[in-house]
Coordinates of all heavy atoms in Angstrom, one line a residue:
R53 N -31.5 40.2 -26.9 CA -30.1 40.0 -26.4 C -29.5 41.3 -26.0 O -28.7 41.5 -25.1 CB -29.3 39.2 -27.4 CG -27.9 38.9 -26.9 CD -27.1 38.2 -28.0 NE -27.8 36.9 -28.3 CZ -27.3 36.1 -29.2 NH1 -26.3 36.3 -29.9 NH2 -28.0 34.9 -29.4
E54 N -29.7 42.3 -26.9 CA -29.1 43.7 -26.6 C -29.7 44.3 -25.3 O -29.0 45.0 -24.6 CB -29.4 44.6 -27.8 CG -28.6 44.2 -29.0 CD -27.1 44.4 -28.8 OE1 -26.7 45.4 -28.1 OE2 -26.3 43.6 -29.3
A55 N -31.0 44.0 -25.1 CA -31.7 44.5 -23.9 C -31.2 43.8 -22.7 O -31.4 44.4 -21.6 CB -33.2 44.4 -24.1
D56 N -30.7 42.6 -22.8 CA -30.3 41.8 -21.7 C -28.8 41.6 -21.6 O -28.3 40.5 -21.5 CB -31.0 40.5 -21.7 CG -31.0 39.7 -20.4 OD1 -30.8 40.4 -19.4 OD2 -31.2 38.5 -20.4
K57 N -28.1 42.7 -21.7 CA -26.6 42.7 -21.8 C -26.0 42.2 -20.5 O -24.9 41.8 -20.4 CB -26.1 44.0 -22.2 CG -26.4 44.4 -23.6 CD -25.8 45.8 -23.9 CE -26.0 46.2 -25.4 NZ -25.5 47.5 -25.7
G58 N -26.8 42.3 -19.4 CA -26.2 41.9 -18.1 C -26.3 40.4 -17.9 O -26.1 40.0 -16.8
D59 N -26.7 39.6 -18.9 CA -26.8 38.2 -18.7 C -26.0 37.4 -19.7 O -26.4 36.3 -20.2 CB -28.3 37.8 -18.8 CG -28.5 36.4 -18.1 OD1 -27.9 36.1 -17.1 OD2 -29.4 35.7 -18.6
E60 N -24.8 37.9 -20.1 CA -24.0 37.3 -21.1 C -23.1 36.2 -20.3 O -22.9 36.3 -19.1 CB -23.0 38.3 -21.7 CG -23.7 39.3 -22.6 CD -22.7 40.2 -23.2 OE1 -21.5 40.0 -23.0 OE2 -23.1 41.2 -23.9
R277 N -18.2 42.8 -16.7 CA -19.2 43.4 -15.9 C -20.6 43.2 -16.6 O -21.6 43.4 -15.9 CB -18.9 44.9 -15.8 CG -17.7 45.2 -14.9 CD -17.4 46.7 -14.9 NE -17.0 47.2 -16.3 CZ -16.7 48.4 -16.5 NH1 -16.7 49.3 -15.6 NH2 -16.4 48.8 -17.8
R278 N -20.6 42.9 -17.9 CA -21.9 42.7 -18.6 C -22.3 41.2 -18.5 O -23.4 40.9 -19.0 CB -21.7 43.1 -20.0 CG -21.3 44.5 -20.2 CD -21.0 44.8 -21.7 NE -22.1 44.6 -22.6 CZ -22.0 44.8 -23.9 NH1 -20.9 45.2 -24.5 NH2 -23.1 44.6 -24.7
C279 N -21.5 40.4 -17.9 CA -21.8 39.0 -17.8 C -22.8 38.7 -16.7 O -22.8 39.5 -15.7 CB -20.6 38.1 -17.6 SG -19.4 38.2 -19.0
G280 N -23.6 37.7 -16.8 CA -24.6 37.3 -15.8 C -23.9 37.0 -14.5 O -22.8 36.3 -14.5
R281 N -24.4 37.4 -13.4 CA -23.8 37.1 -12.1 C -23.7 35.6 -11.8 O -22.7 35.1 -11.3 CB -24.6 37.7 -11.0 CG -24.0 37.6 -9.6 CD -24.8 38.3 -8.6 NE -24.9 39.8 -8.9 CZ -25.6 40.7 -8.1 NH1 -26.2 40.2 -7.1 NH2 -25.5 41.9 -8.5

Side-chain angles (χ1 to χ4, degrees):
R53 182 178 301 177
E54 288 296 322
D56 194 21
K57 290 181 180 179
D59 201 34
E60 295 180 3
R277 293 175 296 181
R278 301 172 61 180
C279 297
R281 183 176 300 178

